[in-house]
Amino acid sequence: MPAERAPALRTRLLVAVLGPLLAAAILIGVVGATLIADVVRRTNDRVLGGALGAIAETVQVERNEVTLDLPAAAFGMLENTERDNVYYRVAVGNDLLTGYADLPAPDPATLAVDVPRYRFARYRDQQIRIAEVRRSLPRIDQPVIVQIAETLDNRGALTRRLMLALLIGECVLVGAAALLLRPALGWSLRPLARLRGAVEARDERARPDFSPLDTGPLPSELRPLSGAFDRLLAQLDTATVGVRRFTADASHQMRTPLSVLKVQVALARRGSDAQRIEALDEIADAIVRLERLVTQLLALARAEEAGVSAPLEAVNLREVAAAVITRHVTQAIEAGIDLTLEGDAQVVPMVPGHRTLIFEILANLIDNAIRYNRPGGTVTVTIAVEPSGTSVTIADDGPGIAAAHRDTAFDRFVRFGDINGPEGSGLGLAIVRSAAARLDATVGFGDAGVGTTVILRFPQPLTSPDDTA
């Protein structure tokens, strides 16, 4: 199934920038259109009001009659390129004095004296704008209503020109932003290209290079990505080193038992029946040693496995120790070793860890204590819960390890004692140290007059009463 293709980062950034820019342009267009309509209305109303005032000022009372002298300038102010039609009406009460009788008349009661009012109306199938005012003259009982109106062609044309100018300006702005954003994004993404180049440059090298990337200065947004990649490289380097070391250790340690197998197989083919039986015994012993070696190498590899461990869980240390002792009872009986478990039975020693790793640690320590003990000796496993932590002590009364050799006892393939002593690979204590490190536990030798004492300490005691423990 082909992987889904995500949009390019440059395209996503363009959309992320141009999207809000277009939304802002639309918002500005709506607000601009509203402002343009208001400005055009106010500007033309001011001119229309000036013409209304010029006409209203000529209304006088002579000989108890209302007279009017229409000034030409009043109509000249309303001339424009669109040749709008101009209408006027002057009335005293309901009596027309001059003008268009059918021009929509207002209710005089709704007009304030000498305060112009503006309104839209429909006249002769055209939309018009009317300015009107009410005047009160001496010795005239009826109010004088003065009206002047014009069609809206000029207002519409001016509004369209301003709107077109606004639209062109917004289109130019958005278009210029779109054209300039692409090279700007290219410049902004150049550090990302440099980071990609540093990663791709590793492909050209014959040997894998897990050293930190040489990317030069990076923006703050890319530094966490580069740091995370460097940490991934470090983990890969650790894993690769572990694989190489495991391979080297395995090839080095397996050479001897394989050589023994090869020699004994050759003897079995050419020798007598007695020699064949002896050779088969040697082959069986070599297979056992080889199986133990492979098992310990795999256990060490698991103990030193790099990466993030699973969250620690509460483990019953007594329960695990009892399971390990049960597994080694037969070995202890065959070696004549007295194997015992001691500790306060009223306390359940819970420790943070992983059951498998704790089992592996105790299995190796108890195996060593039995394997390298004296005939008829004892191995004591003691669990102690203290305020500072929980510990398990494995003590034997065998020949022990000299104090001068204890610093290197936990290294790989380190063995002490007689070459004719018990078979071993020198990996047991190395497995214990690696597994303990993964559990944030410590392991070391205790002071004992006879034999060897190894103490495994867990820093956080998690105890609970259990009468049935």
Side-chain angles (χ1 to χ4, degrees), residues 8-180:
L9 183 59
R10 191 189 303 269
T11 302
R12 294 169 64 93
L13 290 175
L14 279 174
V15 172
V17 174
L18 290 179
L21 184 60
L22 287 174
I26 294 173
L27 180 61
I28 292 173
V30 173
V31 175
T34 304
L35 292 177
I36 287 173
D38 185 67
V39 169
V40 170
R41 180 181 58 80
R42 289 176 179 273
T43 302
N44 285 271
D45 282 354
R46 190 175 295 112
V47 177
L48 191 62
L52 175 67
I55 296 174
E57 287 178 357
T58 65
V59 178
Q60 301 293 332
V61 178
E62 294 182 2
R63 300 176 183 179
N64 294 326
E65 292 183 358
V66 178
T67 63
L68 176 66
D69 183 13
L70 291 176
F75 297 98
M77 286 188 293
L78 300 177
E79 291 183 357
N80 53 62
T81 57
E82 302 299 327
R83 299 184 180 275
D84 280 317
N85 294 330
V86 178
Y87 309 98
Y88 68 96
R89 178 178 178 272
V90 181
V92 180
N94 294 326
D95 298 330
L96 179 67
L97 185 62
T98 184
Y100 295 82
D102 58 347
L103 190 66
D107 181 3
T110 62
L111 289 176
V113 178
D114 294 330
V115 178
R117 186 179 70 177
Y118 303 90
R119 62 189 175 94
F120 290 102
R122 191 77 180 172
Y123 182 64
R124 295 185 179 183
D125 296 329
Q126 288 182 306
Q127 192 76 8
I128 61 173
R129 181 72 167 172
I130 301 176
E132 51 198 9
V133 66
R134 173 184 173 182
R135 296 205 62 189
S136 180
L137 300 178
R139 300 186 299 278
I140 303 297
D141 296 334
Q142 298 294 326
V144 179
I145 306 300
V146 181
Q147 293 177 283
I148 187 168
E150 66 176 352
T151 55
L152 306 180
D153 294 341
N154 182 65
R155 296 181 183 227
L158 180 59
T159 301
R160 286 190 294 272
R161 286 196 297 270
L162 292 177
M163 289 293 296
L164 180 61
L166 176 62
L167 180 61
I168 292 175
E170 289 188 334
C171 290
V172 171
L173 176 63
V174 174
L179 291 176
L180 295 177

Side-chain angles (χ1 to χ4, degrees), residues 150-236:
E150 66 176 352
T151 55
L152 306 180
D153 294 341
N154 182 65
R155 296 181 183 227
L158 180 59
T159 301
R160 286 190 294 272
R161 286 196 297 270
L162 292 177
M163 289 293 296
L164 180 61
L166 176 62
L167 180 61
I168 292 175
E170 289 188 334
C171 290
V172 171
L173 176 63
V174 174
L179 291 176
L180 295 177
L181 273 176
R182 184 165 290 274
L185 290 177
W187 173 80
S188 300
L189 295 175
R190 195 173 299 165
L192 187 59
R194 188 166 65 247
L195 179 61
R196 182 190 65 186
V199 175
E200 291 177 345
R202 300 294 174 93
D203 295 339
E204 301 175 359
R205 303 177 184 179
R207 184 176 181 180
D209 184 5
F210 299 113
S211 61
L213 295 175
D214 183 13
T215 58
L218 291 175
S220 58
E221 294 82 2
L222 290 181
R223 284 198 291 269
L225 176 61
S226 178
F229 197 85
D230 287 341
R231 290 191 294 272
L232 177 61
L233 290 177
Q235 291 178 357
L236 289 175

Side-chain angles (χ1 to χ4, degrees), residues 369 372 394-402 406 445-446 448 450-454:
Y372 300 104
I394 294 90
D396 64 67
D397 52 2
I401 300 176
R406 290 184 177 182
F445 291 102
V450 178
T452 303
T453 300
V454 180

